[in-house]
Amino acid sequence: MELSDLYSQKILDLAGNAVQPGRLAHADASARKVSRVCGSVIEVDVVVRDGMIAEYGHEISACALGQTSAAVVAREVIGTPIGEFRSLRDSMHAMLKDNGAPPTGKWSDLAYLEPVREYRARHMSTLLVFDAVVEALEKIESLESVTVKS
């Protein structure tokens, strides 16, 4: 498979027609992730209410693969329980690194990224959004545990 084969029409459509949510002014937490391999960068903001992601924003400078991941997340993440998002991140890592099955349900468009599995150098940019959101969620949980102890 040629590297150019990775960029299917569906991936180009998802990346090219993605809504850019922008940053949130009053996020509960934010996280920034950078791919050292290709220079892709994403900054995410999340607001959590009652164990669910209630608001989401991001700013991204990435290849089409990173943009596709971020586009699907931006489209589907509101209303997602924290545990479900963590499972999604784990599924994406497993899909690319361990021949795992692609996500299903509202996340099924992420299956278009399955061919990335063959290109280790592209894994990080594809996974940036998932790792950034989970890092932001961990910051929120850390703050909540400090608040509860005080």
Side-chain angles (χ1 to χ4, degrees):
M1 181 189 276
E2 297 286 322
L3 183 60
S4 61
D5 294 339
L6 265 182
Y7 299 94
S8 68
Q9 191 58 50
K10 186 64 177 178
I11 284 178
L12 296 175
D13 289 346
L14 284 166
N17 297 311
V19 174
Q20 296 300 327
R23 302 293 304 272
L24 297 179
H26 304 288
D28 290 342
S30 302
R32 181 175 195 267
K33 288 289 185 184
V34 179
S35 169
R36 289 175 290 169
V37 175
C38 67
S40 292
V41 178
I42 189 165
E43 293 183 78
V44 302
D45 302 307
V46 293
V47 172
V48 172
R49 296 291 176 266
D50 301 321
M52 291 195 186
I53 299 170
E55 294 179 50
Y56 171 82
H58 75 231
E59 196 168 278
I60 185 167
S61 174
C63 66
L65 301 173
Q67 289 180 37
T68 298
S69 293
V72 175
V73 168
R75 186 184 74 204
E76 303 294 348
V77 73
I78 303 296
T80 300
I82 292 171
E84 180 185 316
F85 195 87
R86 273 205 173 85
S87 294
L88 174 66
R89 190 265 317 255
D90 295 345
S91 293
M92 287 300 295
H93 276 264
M95 179 181 87
L96 295 184
K97 298 177 183 302
D98 301 321
N99 291 322
T104 57
K106 70 180 184 178
W107 304 106
S108 63
D109 276 351
L110 294 169
Y112 292 107
L113 293 163
E114 197 170 8
V116 176
R117 174 185 294 149
E118 306 302 320
Y119 298 91
R120 294 184 60 75
R122 298 286 184 236
H123 289 186
M124 193 164 192
S125 63
T126 304
L127 297 170
L128 277 180
V129 67
F130 304 101
D131 294 339
V133 171
V134 168
E135 181 179 308
L137 294 172
E138 288 171 349
K139 288 179 180 178
I140 293 168
E141 290 172 336
S142 177
L143 289 170
E144 287 172 351
S145 70
V146 169
T147 305
V148 170
K149 290 177 185 171
S150 310

